[in-house]
Structures are given as C-alpha cells and as structure tokens.
Amino acid sequence: MGFKKITSQLLTVLLTVILASMLSLSFISYSQSENIIKGQIQTMMNSELDKQRNLIETKLLRISSMAVDLGSSVEATYASTALNQYEELLSAMVKEDSLILGSGIWFEPYVYDKNEKYMGPYVYKDGDKTAVTYEYSNAEYDYFSYDWYKNAKNGTDPVFSELYYDDTLKLTMMSCTAPMYTLDKKFTGVVTVDMQVSDIQDLTNKIKLGDTGSVFLLNKDGLFITGTDADGILKENIVDSKNSSLKKLGTEIIKNEQGEGSYTESGKKYLTYYRTIPGVGWHIVAKVPEAETKMPLKDLSQKLIISLLVSVIITGLLIILQVNAITRKIKKANNFTMSLAKGDFTLEPIPIKGRNELSQLEVSLNKMLTDNKAVIQSIAGGASGISNAGESLEVVVHKLTEQFQSINTSIRDINEVMMSSSASTEEVNASVEEVHSSIDVLTQETETGKDLAENIHRKAQEAERKSEISYEKAQELIQANEKKLLISLENAKIVESIGTMAGQIAEIAEQVNLLSLNASIEAARAGEHGKGFAVVAKEIGTLASMTTHTVEDIKNTIDRVTGAYKNLMDNSSEMLEFMKVNVAGDYREFVDTAKEYDLEASAISKNIETISRMTEGIDRISSEVTKAISEIAQGAQITAESSSAILGNIDGLSEVVKEVASLIEKENEISGNLNHMVANFKING
C-alpha cells in the first residue's frame, strides 16, 4: 500500500517488524518456560515420589529385616530355648517398634515339641502393654492352611502378605513372613511380623504437592490404600471406577512400573506421576491440578504481555522522535529543491546542523543555490544587453532603409532624366538652357547621394563595431556560464557520493545481518549456554534489517534530489548550448552582414564619385554642346548605363539592409526568449 508520509511508512514497517519479533520472542519464551515448568514439575513430582517410595521401602525393609533376624535367631536356638524366652523376645520387639502390631513364631508340626502339631506363640500390643496368645495354635485355626504360611514355605526370602482390614482393631494390616531352615536346609517353620499400615497411610495423606496436590497409594491390584474415604479402603478398585478417565489411568498404572498420565474429576484435570514399590507391588501416585501447574505460565504470559505493550509503546515513541528528526530535514531539503525546480532562487540558504549525510546534502543544496543564482543573474544581464543592442541596431537599420529609399528615388529620377536626355538629343540645341538646368540638378543630387553614401559607410562601420562588441560579450558570457555550469555539475557528484555511502551502509547492514545469522547458528550449537547470545544475535539481525530499510528510503530520496538537480542542469546546459550555437552564430552572422554592408557602402560612395565626375564632364561638354551633339548623345548613353548600374547596386544594398533587419528581428526574438526563460527564475526577493 502507498504511504503519504515517510513517518507513517517507517513507523508501520518498523513497529510491525519489532512487534513480530517481540511476539516471536514472547512465544519462544512462553514455550521454553512451559517446557521448563513442565520439566520442573515432573522433576519435583518424581523426586517426591522417589522420596516417599524410599520412605515406604525403608519401613518395609525394617519389618522384613526384623522378620529375617527373628527367624535366624529361632533357627539357631529353637532346640534349646524355652517358649517363655521367645515370648519375652517377641514382647520386646513389638513394644519397641511402633510400626509393629504383633509378631509370632510358627513351627512345623512336631518340630519344637514332638507331642504338639501346632506350636505358635503370638505376642501383640494391648494398649500400652503386650499380650501373649496361643489361640491361633490349634486345629481350628490351622495356620498351615493360610497363604502367608504357604508362600513363605515355598521360598527362602521374606514375603509380605496382601493387605487386609482388621474390623476389630479398625486398622489396615499386613504381615511379613520369613521362613526358617536348619543347617541342612530342612524347613522348620516361619516367623511373622504384623505391621500396621496406618503410619504409611498417615505419611502419604500428609504429603502436599503445591497448593492442592496430593499422593495416594494403590495395592498391586489397584485397590485404594489411601486416596479415598475410610469405607473405601481396600474395597474400591481404581480399575472399576465410574470415572472413565480415572479407570483408564488405573489400567496404565497397574500395567507399568512407572510413568505419568492424567484424568479428569469434577471438571478439573489432574496430572499424575506414579512409581511401583518393589517387594509389595504397591503403586504410589502423585496428582496435581493442571490449572495449578499453569499458574506460573499464566503469570508469565501476563508479564510478557505487559512488557510487550510497554516495549512497543517506548519503541514507537523513540522511532517517532528519530524519524521526525530525519523527515524534518528531508522535508526541508525537499521543499528547498521543489522551490529551486520552480525557478525560485530568492530562498535563504538552509541552516546546517550536524555532520551526517543529510547535513552534507544541505551543504550541497546551498552551494547549488548560490552557483546557479550567479549563473542566472549573468544570463539575465547578458540577455538585457543583447536586447538593448538589438533595439539600437533596429533604429539604425530603420534609418538606413529610409535613406536607401531616398537614394533609390533620386537615382531613378536621374535615370529617367538621362533617358529623356538620350531621347531628346535632337532637341538639345534648342534646349541648352534646360540641359544646363538639368545638369545643375544632377550635380546637386550627386552631392546629396555622396553625402548619403558617406553616412551609410559610417553607420555600417558603427554597426560592425557594436556587433563585434556584442559578439565578444556574448562569447565571454557563454564561456563564464559554461565554467560555472561545469563547476555545478562537479558539485552534483557530492549527492552521488552520498548515494555511494548509503550503498556502503546497506552492504555493511547485509554483512551484519549475515554475522547475526552465523552467530544465531553458533548459539544454537552451544545449546543452553548460547541462548542469551542467540537473543542478542537476533536483535542485531533485526537492527541490521531496520538499517537496510532506512538506507533504501534515504537512497530513494537522494535519487529524487539527483533527478531534480539533473533536470536543472540539463535545462541550464540546453540554454547554454542555445547561446553558443544560435545566439553566438547569429551575432557572428550579424557582424559579417555589417562588414558586407560596409563594403556595399564603399561601393556606393565610389559610384557617387563616378557620377560626380561624370556631371562635371557633362558641364564641360555642355559649353560645347552645339559643337558635338554626338558627344552629348554618347555622354547621355554612358550616364544612363551608369544610372542603371547604380540602381542595381542600390537594389542589392536594399536587399542587404532587409537581411540586416531580418537578422535584427531574429536577434530580438532570441533576446525575448532569453528574457522569457530568465523570467521563470526568481533571483531577487
């Protein structure tokens, strides 16, 4: 689209580029921040999960270690140790550890006592004390048939049972069973350590992630250990949830050892991260609302928008100030050149401030004003002189024409008289007195013609002299103006040098842009350490692009100034060429014509002298007319021929005078054209 003002164009282009760059930078910052925040959240969640998993593993390891140690002790001592000693051992262990609810030793049939198939002392907490019971050592309970016993019997490592809820104690419990073997690898029974899971549940329930994030536990089958109400503990299964997204998440958790996912509940989306606890197969799951994770991004986006608006406003103001400063100078120079193009040379020189390219342009424009003003003043003065000389010559030629007409009339009269004299030879004798009278008239007319011829000769010499002077003045004026015009053309190269400097600036901007691109590539290779340098490189590239657009505008302005200046120089050159070819040629032709006119005047003077001598001869002959009629007739014939010759010369000279008049008219027309051309320029205020 077209712009009427450079300010609007630069402001639109630069703000568009800056806004696009800042939006791109903001988008990149937002994307990177989003990735960083997601990474931090993931790291935090995974760290918390690992921490809680390690805590749970530590508690489970402590219980299993107690079971193994207890089993090893019983393996080595059951043959020589009384039951009351084992009861005391179990009581001390149960009492000292708050995590343990009870512990028991369960022998194989007839191993501890050859008379007893069931032998299993069990010690449990009873308030602040401990109590011993053998009520599970009987056929009714038959501990051999339970899975916790069978699993331990089939292996060598301690085994944790499935969680179960004790309705009597109102507690969620789990047992760790360790097998006992003799030195010859004979199975002798198991020891059990019953632990309450409430400590682990309390530990899990107290975990708070962020503002509203939390952690919940699932057993290996997906039953909730924590994360639901008390009635749903070990009863609700995540894979049977009515919430389809939670059900899908539960399926993924059970299948995988660790990972992350999400689900939606009550219109709120939660991000989840999970781990599997070795040994028991539990799944510890951390959840946090997605909206909470996006709060930092929301704050960041608000800050980015505010900073973007502030930056755009400040940048726009700075651009307006700088562009206005430049456009003021450009407008001043443009108005100055437009006035010069219209021929107004009454302008005052532009005040020069600064030393940049625009200031140098103003210096060149001022010099162009003074130089061309002097040239036009010289042309105006020369045209005025030519006009005055032409007017003087026109007056002289007019007078010459009148005098030639008078001479022509007189000579024709003489010719007619001589013809009449030749025709009336027979009457000469009878008309001697009339002949004498005619001779007197002829003598007087001859004297008058001689005077007129001398006057023409003097005026022709004067016209030749004035024409020579005017021709030399015209030559001097043309040479002086030609030198000044050449100097002005030489000064125009300053504007071309500004264009060259603008081109060099554009090349430098392109090199800076290329360096910025290379720097961006190297910064990208540097990875995390090069991000700051990449931002700087991008800004440098943006400034280089801005510089390129600004230099293009300056070059366009210089092209317009150079065009206007070239038009002025072309017009001045054409006018100077016109003076050299036409005016000087016409002056030369006028001088040559004046010289020819002088020669013709000399010829007329000689003819008049001849006529004068002839009239004297006629006068002498007239006294002898009566004696020599034939001589009079012959003289009359000679006089008639001479008169015809004079008439021919007079007619030729008249034509020369007409040509001189025509040249004067042409010179006046040229002078008028010069005055008209000079009138288009204003050189005086």
Side-chain angles (χ1 to χ4, degrees):
M1 61 180 163
F3 293 90
K4 293 184 177 180
K5 294 184 178 180
I6 296 177
T7 305
S8 302
Q9 182 178 0
L10 290 178
L11 190 62
T12 301
V13 173
L14 294 179
L15 280 182
T16 301
V17 172
I18 292 171
L19 185 60
S21 300
M22 296 185 72
L23 286 174
S24 300
L25 183 61
S26 300
F27 177 75
I28 293 171
S29 300
Y30 183 87
S31 299
Q32 291 182 345
S33 300
E34 184 178 20
N35 293 332
I36 291 171
I37 291 173
K38 284 183 178 179
Q40 289 178 342
I41 292 174
Q42 185 177 15
T43 302
M44 180 189 72
M45 300 291 279
N46 290 333
S47 177
E48 185 66 27
L49 286 176
D50 290 338
K51 175 184 174 183
Q52 298 305 320
R53 183 180 65 177
N54 292 335
L55 288 175
I56 295 173
E57 280 189 281
T58 301
K59 291 180 180 296
L60 295 176
L61 182 61
R62 191 174 73 194
I63 297 298
S64 64
S65 297
M66 288 182 179
V68 171
D69 292 341
L70 178 60
S72 298
S73 178
V74 174
E75 286 174 351
T77 61
Y78 75 91
S80 58
T81 302
L83 287 176
N84 60 341
Q85 291 177 323
Y86 285 134
E87 292 172 0
E88 291 176 359
L89 177 62
L90 293 173
S91 295
M93 185 175 67
V94 171
K95 188 174 183 180
E96 289 176 358
D97 199 319
S98 59
L99 193 61
I100 299 176
L101 291 174
S103 181
I105 303 173
W106 315 93
F107 290 101
E108 275 284 275
Y110 312 113
V111 170
Y112 184 78
D113 188 345
K114 294 180 179 181
N115 298 317
E116 294 291 340
K117 179 179 180 182
Y118 299 99
M119 181 57 67
Y122 182 78
V123 177
Y124 63 94
K125 285 181 179 177
D126 185 13
D128 295 334
K129 298 179 180 181
T130 58
V132 180
T133 181
Y134 285 89
E135 63 182 18
Y136 302 112
S137 299
N138 51 56
E140 182 180 358
Y141 184 73
D142 191 16
Y143 59 81
F144 303 119
S145 63
Y146 284 90
D147 290 337
W148 56 267
Y149 192 89
K150 293 178 180 179
N151 291 334
K153 184 177 181 179
N154 295 328
T156 57
D157 297 323
V159 179
F160 284 94
S161 68
E162 294 294 332
L163 288 171
Y164 60 93
Y165 186 75
D166 191 312
D167 292 326
T168 302
L169 298 176
K170 303 297 183 183
L171 292 173
T172 302
M173 301 175 60
M174 183 176 65
S175 297
C176 179
T177 306
M180 296 184 295
Y181 291 90
T182 61
L183 294 176
D184 55 357
K185 305 300 182 181
K186 180 180 178 181
F187 181 71
T188 59
V190 300
V191 295
T192 60
V193 178
D194 297 332
M195 59 174 292
Q196 60 178 355
V197 187
S198 58
D199 286 352
I200 297 176
Q201 290 174 320
D202 292 340
L203 178 66
T204 304
N205 290 330
K206 289 178 181 179
I207 297 173
K208 189 175 183 182
L209 302 174
D211 293 332
T212 57
S214 60
V215 173
F216 62 89
L217 279 173
L218 302 173
N219 72 355
K220 64 180 182 180
D221 297 323
L223 291 172
F224 283 96
I225 302 173
T226 62
T228 186
D229 54 33
D231 295 334
I233 298 298
L234 296 179
K235 295 179 180 178
E236 293 182 6
N237 195 311
I238 191 171
V239 296
D240 297 329
S241 175
K242 295 179 180 179
N243 187 332
S244 59
S245 61
L246 183 60
K247 180 178 180 180
K248 181 179 178 181
L249 174 65
T251 303
E252 293 177 358
I253 291 174
I254 293 173
K255 288 181 179 179
N256 301 314
E257 291 291 325
Q258 62 180 21
E260 58 185 72
S262 64
Y263 73 96
T264 303
E265 185 177 15
S266 301
K268 185 184 292 186
K269 186 176 181 180
Y270 290 89
L271 301 179
T272 60
Y273 303 83
Y274 53 88
R275 293 283 189 278
T276 301
I277 300 175
V280 291
W282 296 350
H283 306 282
I284 180 169
V285 184
K287 68 174 185 177
V288 63
E290 185 182 43
E292 188 175 323
T293 63
K294 290 186 176 181
M295 285 299 294
L297 289 174
K298 185 177 180 181
D299 294 339
L300 176 62
S301 61
Q302 291 176 349
K303 292 178 180 178
L304 285 174
I305 292 172
I306 294 172
S307 62
L308 178 63
L309 293 175
V310 172
S311 300
V312 169
I313 292 172
I314 294 174
T315 304
L317 292 176
L318 292 175
I319 291 173
I320 290 173
L321 292 175
Q322 293 298 318
V323 170
N324 284 339
I326 295 173
T327 52
R328 278 197 298 270
K329 282 195 171 186
I330 294 176
K331 285 181 180 178
K332 189 184 295 182
N334 187 44
N335 293 334
F336 190 84
T337 54
M338 290 297 292
S339 298
L340 291 180
K342 293 178 181 177
D344 187 3
F345 283 82
T346 61
L347 301 171
E348 292 294 329
I350 302 174
I352 307 301
K353 294 181 180 180
R355 293 181 294 178
N356 57 19
E357 290 82 357
L358 290 176
S359 299
Q360 294 175 7
L361 175 63
E362 291 173 344
V363 171
S364 299
L365 289 175
N366 288 339
K367 184 170 181 59
M368 181 176 70
L369 170 66
T370 55
D371 292 347
N372 284 276
K373 187 174 181 180
V375 170
I376 293 171
Q377 286 176 336
S378 299
I379 294 172
S384 179
I386 293 171
S387 180
N388 293 333
E391 291 176 358
S392 300
L393 287 173
E394 187 176 7
V395 173
V396 171
V397 169
H398 183 69
K399 290 181 179 179
L400 287 174
T401 302
E402 292 178 351
Q403 291 174 359
F404 273 117
Q405 290 177 351
S406 177
I407 292 171
N408 189 33
T409 301
S410 299
I411 296 301
R412 288 184 183 279
D413 291 341
I414 292 171
N415 187 50
E416 291 176 358
V417 170
M418 292 307 298
M419 292 298 293
S420 298
S421 177
S422 177
S424 303
T425 303
E426 295 178 356
E427 300 176 0
V428 169
N429 290 328
S431 306
V432 173
E433 292 296 329
E434 185 177 353
V435 169
H436 278 291
S437 176
S438 298
I439 291 172
D440 291 337
V441 172
L442 179 61
T443 301
Q444 292 176 0
E445 292 295 329
T446 302
E447 288 295 329
T448 301
K450 185 178 181 180
D451 293 337
L452 288 174
E454 290 177 354
N455 190 23
I456 290 170
H457 181 67
R458 288 194 301 272
K459 289 184 178 181
Q461 289 180 337
E462 182 67 17
E464 180 183 357
R465 185 181 64 81
K466 289 184 178 181
S467 297
E468 284 287 349
I469 294 172
S470 297
Y471 176 76
E472 291 173 358
K473 285 184 178 180
Q475 287 290 85
E476 292 174 357
L477 179 61
I478 289 169
Q479 291 175 0
N481 289 334
E482 185 176 15
K483 290 180 180 179
K484 291 180 180 180
L485 182 61
L486 291 174
I487 293 172
S488 298
L489 289 173
E490 191 67 22
N491 291 334
K493 294 180 180 179
I494 297 175
V495 178
E496 295 177 358
S497 65
I498 295 174
T500 302
M501 288 187 286
Q504 292 173 354
I505 294 172
E507 292 176 0
I508 293 171
E510 291 177 357
Q511 293 176 3
V512 170
N513 196 20
L514 182 59
L515 291 174
S516 171
L517 180 60
N518 292 334
S520 299
I521 295 172
E522 293 300 327
R525 291 177 178 173
E528 189 69 20
H529 298 289
K531 286 184 177 180
F533 187 69
V535 174
V536 175
K538 185 175 182 62
E539 291 300 321
I540 292 174
T542 301
L543 291 176
S545 180
M546 292 166 56
T547 302
T548 301
H549 289 299
T550 304
V551 168
E552 283 295 322
D553 292 336
I554 293 174
K555 289 174 69 177
N556 291 335
T557 302
I558 290 172
D559 290 340
R560 291 198 297 272
V561 172
T562 304
Y565 189 87
K566 185 177 182 301
N567 290 334
L568 180 61
M569 290 298 101
D570 292 341
N571 293 334
S572 300
S573 299
E574 292 176 1
M575 183 173 66
L576 185 61
E577 188 66 21
F578 177 80
M579 290 181 66
K580 289 173 66 177
V581 175
N582 296 348
V583 175
D586 291 341
Y587 267 111
R588 185 72 266 173
E589 185 178 354
F590 189 82
V591 171
D592 295 339
T593 301
K595 288 182 178 179
E596 293 176 0
Y597 182 77
D598 182 53
L599 295 174
E600 295 292 337
S602 297
I604 292 171
S605 179
K606 291 179 180 180
N607 290 333
I608 296 298
E609 289 178 356
T610 303
I611 292 171
S612 179
R613 288 194 298 271
M614 290 174 66
T615 55
E616 290 177 355
I618 292 170
D619 188 61
R620 287 192 302 272
I621 293 171
S622 64
S623 62
E624 301 176 2
V625 156
T626 56
K627 298 179 180 180
I629 295 300
S630 60
E631 291 179 3
I632 293 173
Q634 184 179 1
Q637 184 66 33
I638 293 172
T639 301
E641 291 176 358
S642 297
S643 297
S644 297
I646 291 171
L647 283 174
N649 291 332
I650 291 298
D651 290 338
L653 189 58
S654 178
E655 291 298 324
V656 171
V657 172
K658 288 181 180 179
E659 290 179 2
V660 172
S662 177
L663 290 174
I664 291 173
E665 289 179 359
K666 185 181 293 186
E667 185 270 339
N668 286 335
E669 183 180 355
I670 293 171
S671 176
N673 290 333
L674 284 176
N675 287 326
H676 179 70
M677 291 177 64
V678 172
N680 292 328
F681 298 94
K682 298 179 181 178
I683 55 177
N684 295 317

